[in-house]
Structure formats: structure tokens, C-alpha cells
Amino acid sequence: MDQLTGRQRWTALIALAMGGVAIGLTEFVAMGLLPDMARDLLPEVWARSQEDALARTGWVITAYALGVVVGAPLIAALSARMPRRRLVLALLVLFTAGTVASALAPTFGLVLVARFVAALPHGAYFGAAGLLAATLMGPGNEARGFATVLGGLTLSNVVGVPLITLVGQSAGWRVAYLAIAGVFLLALFAVLATVPEVPMVAGASIGAELRALRKPQVWLIAVTAAIGFAGFFAVDSYIAPVTTEVTGLAAGIVPWALVAVGLGMTVGNALGGWFADRNLRRATLISFGSVIVALVIFALVADTTVGLFVASFLVGATSLSLGPALQARLITLAPEAQLMGAAVNQSAMNIANSLGAALGGLVIARGYGYLAPAWTGVALAGIGLVLAATSFALDRRPERVAAESA
């Protein structure tokens, strides 16, 4: 990559991050358009019970999360010997096709299938594009490479998701998804025009990718991400009722609270990538500790307007600082299967999404209030901290390292 100028390198990185922007749009815009989708796809149910229609339509979000969990390791294994640039282009084609199908599917059942298919390349894209970005940046930048691509997703939560949501509310949810497909298409042409091919990792194979799953440490970090990161989703999933019912603000303020979270995510992701490339162990443990502190602050001060916005920013920043660190940790544990490591991390993050939302909803349903998910998040992040510390402690046992590398 030495033959690239600085401008060429950053143009390529922006193209890869553009794919992350589109992924953020296709993953998160459904949350703001659920009522529109419910009215269109389930009109009879909507006429009888809006709550029931919304609950059923929520399966489009679940279908996408399930597609990520299934597709990430599957595509990572099957594409082990595929050049990374070619893989990224193929994944963007699949994203575009799946998103167009989501917009055009005539029935609710077919929309669910389309959302599942559209999610299949999610984890593999972050893995392959993140590895490409790391190669463009040079040795020792694995975490920053992943953070660059993930930065597109966090940026989409600040600007793109609110804009596409407005498009969907005014012109229809199907138009919104067609617009998202257009962003994927732009990313495809941008990658095609700016990103060079990079050499394959020596020894890359389906067997090598699958052997990574035999390592207990890989599974330990996956569980760490699935549990520890769930604390963020326990809060983020219920930021709307906190804003309106606890802080007492109008419903129109909810998007601004989400912007505060998104800004925090963007800052935390960038700082987390920088920190993790300098001291991975310290970055991981300090990030987990910071998440715990931010969640405690949220639980204590989110009942005030200033407290809500400041704490929302802190929760987003500290939580997303973990993303690059956990990704780099998996690559360190399985250097011969970097794509599988990235895929496992994405699957774990989507499990965290479901787990955090479910446990947060459980404590609310039990009558503990809308701030109770923050305390649930503290417990989840605390477990994540213990698991991460355990993983690093195992690195100091030569016999364990030798056994896992055999």
C-alpha cells in the first residue's frame, strides 16, 4: 500500500466507511418506521389493535438481527480464500439486492425473508472492510481500521437515520428502503473506483477460519461481548420512554436524545480504535469500567434535561469505545482467521442487542421503572469486565497458550 498517496488512501477509507453508513441506515431505520410498516403490511391487525400490529411488525428487526448472527460466521467460512476487495464488492451487491427486495416485497412474510437476506452480509462486511482499512492504514492499525468502517455506522445514527426516517414518514417506508439501497449502490461504485486489491492472508482457508471456533478464548470473548455490550442496548432500547415519562420532555425531543447517543458513539468509536492499537488490554478494561460509570450516571441524573443529554452521550461514547477493542482482541486470538474473528464479534453484538432489550423490558414490566434498565446494564457490564479480565489473565498461562495454538 506504499504506492498510494495520502489522498488515495483516505478516499478508499471513506468509500469503505460509506458501506458502514448504509448498514447503519438499513439496520436502524425500521425502529422509526415501525408504525408506517405496520399500517401498510398488517392493515387488518392495525385496525383491530395498534399495539398488536406494532409487536408483530417488530419481527422485521428480529429477522435482521437473526440474519446477522447466521450470516456472519457462515460467509466468513465460505469466503476465506476470496480476495478481500472482491468480497466487499460482492457483499455490497447482496446488501443492495436485499434492501431493494425489502422495499418491493408485497407481503409481511416476504418482507421478513428479505430483511433476513439483507442482513446476511452485515458481519462479514465489517470484517472484510475493516481488514482492508487496516491494511490501507499500515501494520498495527487493526483496531483503527475496524473503527473507521464502524464509524460510518455510528455517523449514520447521527445524521442519516433521522433523515431517512423523515423520508419514510412523508413518502412511505418503501421509498425509504429504496433510498437506502441507493446508498449501498453508491458505496459499491465508490469501493470499485477507489479501493485497491490487497494480498491474501497467508494460509487463509475454510479450515483455518473454522479452526478459530475451536479456541475457548474466542468463545470467551464472544460471550464477553454478548453480555458486556448488552448494557448499552438495555438503555438505548428505552431511551424514548425515559425522555418522555421520566424526564418529562415532549416526544419531539426523543430524536435529539438519540442524536446525543449517536454523537457519543461516534466519538467513542474513534477514541476506542486509537486506544486499542496502543494498549489493547488497558483499553478493554478501562472501557468496561467507563461503561459502568456512565450507566450509573444515567440512572442517577437522566430525570433532568441536562442530565439526560450528558448521560446519553457518555453511555454512547463509553460503550462504542469497546467495539474496536473487542474486535482487535478476537483478531489477536485468531490471527489466522481474522474474518471469522470479525464475524463472531458482529454476531455477539447482535445477541447483545436482543439480550439488552429483553432484560431491560423485563425489569420495566416488573414495575421497577424506566431507569431500571440502566442498573441492569451496570450488572451486565460488570459481568463483561470480569470476563474480559479473565481472558487476559489466561494469556499469562503458557500452558493454555500452547494448548490453544496446537
Side-chain angles (χ1 to χ4, degrees):
M1 297 299 105
D2 293 339
Q3 67 273 23
L4 294 178
T5 66
R7 183 175 181 177
Q8 289 173 324
R9 181 175 288 106
W10 279 105
T11 301
L13 291 172
I14 291 171
L16 293 169
M18 189 183 300
V21 171
I23 293 173
L25 294 176
T26 198
E27 181 177 14
F28 293 110
V29 79
M31 298 172 184
L33 294 177
L34 273 185
D36 304 84
M37 298 176 77
R39 281 192 296 268
D40 179 52
L41 294 170
L42 300 170
E44 295 181 0
V45 180
W46 179 268
R48 185 173 63 251
S49 170
Q50 294 185 12
E51 291 80 6
D52 189 23
L54 286 170
R56 293 191 192 186
T57 310
W59 278 97
V60 301
I61 299 173
T62 304
Y64 188 91
L66 183 60
V68 176
V69 173
V70 172
L74 181 64
I75 294 177
L78 295 178
S79 61
R81 299 187 62 82
M82 191 174 183
R84 295 293 176 249
R85 177 177 179 271
R86 192 180 306 169
L87 174 58
V88 165
L89 291 171
L91 294 173
L92 287 170
V93 169
L94 183 55
F95 268 128
T96 304
T99 307
V100 170
S102 301
L104 301 181
T107 67
F108 179 59
L110 289 177
V111 169
L112 290 181
V113 173
R115 295 313 296 148
F116 178 86
V117 171
L120 291 174
H122 180 121
Y125 182 86
F126 280 112
L131 293 172
L132 269 177
T135 303
L136 291 170
M137 292 175 136
N141 287 297
E142 287 82 5
R144 287 182 63 201
F146 177 73
T148 298
V149 181
L150 186 61
L153 184 146
T154 62
L155 182 62
S156 72
N157 278 276
V158 179
V159 180
V161 172
L163 288 177
I164 295 295
T165 299
L166 288 174
V167 170
Q169 290 172 338
S170 60
W173 69 270
R174 295 181 186 276
V175 174
Y177 275 102
L178 288 175
I180 295 169
V183 179
F184 274 120
L185 202 58
L186 286 175
L188 171 65
F189 288 126
V191 170
L192 190 63
T194 64
V195 178
E197 190 56 86
V198 300
M200 287 288 295
V201 177
S205 68
I206 294 177
E209 295 288 343
L210 292 177
R211 279 194 296 273
L213 298 179
R214 294 166 51 189
K215 296 187 175 184
Q217 277 273 48
V218 169
W219 288 104
L220 178 57
I221 291 299
V223 173
T224 301
I227 295 177
F229 209 81
F232 166 73
F233 290 108
V235 168
D236 191 50
S237 299
Y238 302 100
I239 196 77
V242 169
T243 302
T244 57
E245 304 301 323
V246 176
T247 315
L249 300 175
I253 303 299
V254 172
W256 295 105
L258 292 172
V259 167
V261 176
L263 286 172
M265 292 166 65
T266 303
V267 172
N269 175 63
L271 293 179
W274 177 86
F275 193 9
D277 278 330
R278 279 150 183 78
N279 192 314
L280 181 56
R281 179 178 181 274
R282 188 176 300 170
T284 305
L285 299 181
I286 289 179
S287 291
F288 264 121
S290 300
V291 171
I292 294 172
V293 172
L295 289 169
V296 170
I297 291 174
F298 187 94
L300 295 177
V301 306
D303 58 341
T304 67
T305 301
V306 173
L308 172 68
F309 282 92
V310 172
S312 295
F313 176 89
L314 291 176
V315 169
T318 55
S319 298
L320 262 291
S321 69
L322 273 172
L326 292 172
Q327 182 68 79
R329 175 65 172 155
L330 281 167
I331 291 175
T332 300
L333 291 170
E336 75 287 358
Q338 296 182 352
L339 189 57
M340 182 61 74
V344 168
N345 189 46
Q346 287 299 307
S347 294
M349 292 296 184
N350 276 269
I351 292 172
N353 190 340
S354 299
L355 179 64
L359 292 179
L362 179 63
V363 295
I364 291 172
R366 290 292 182 90
Y368 294 109
Y370 289 112
L371 291 178
W375 295 112
T376 303
V378 170
L380 291 168
I383 295 172
L385 176 59
V386 171
L387 292 174
T390 301
S391 174
F392 284 111
L394 290 175
D395 285 349
R396 300 196 182 105
R397 296 175 57 182
E399 67 277 10
R400 176 62 61 88
V401 175
E404 289 191 353
S405 61

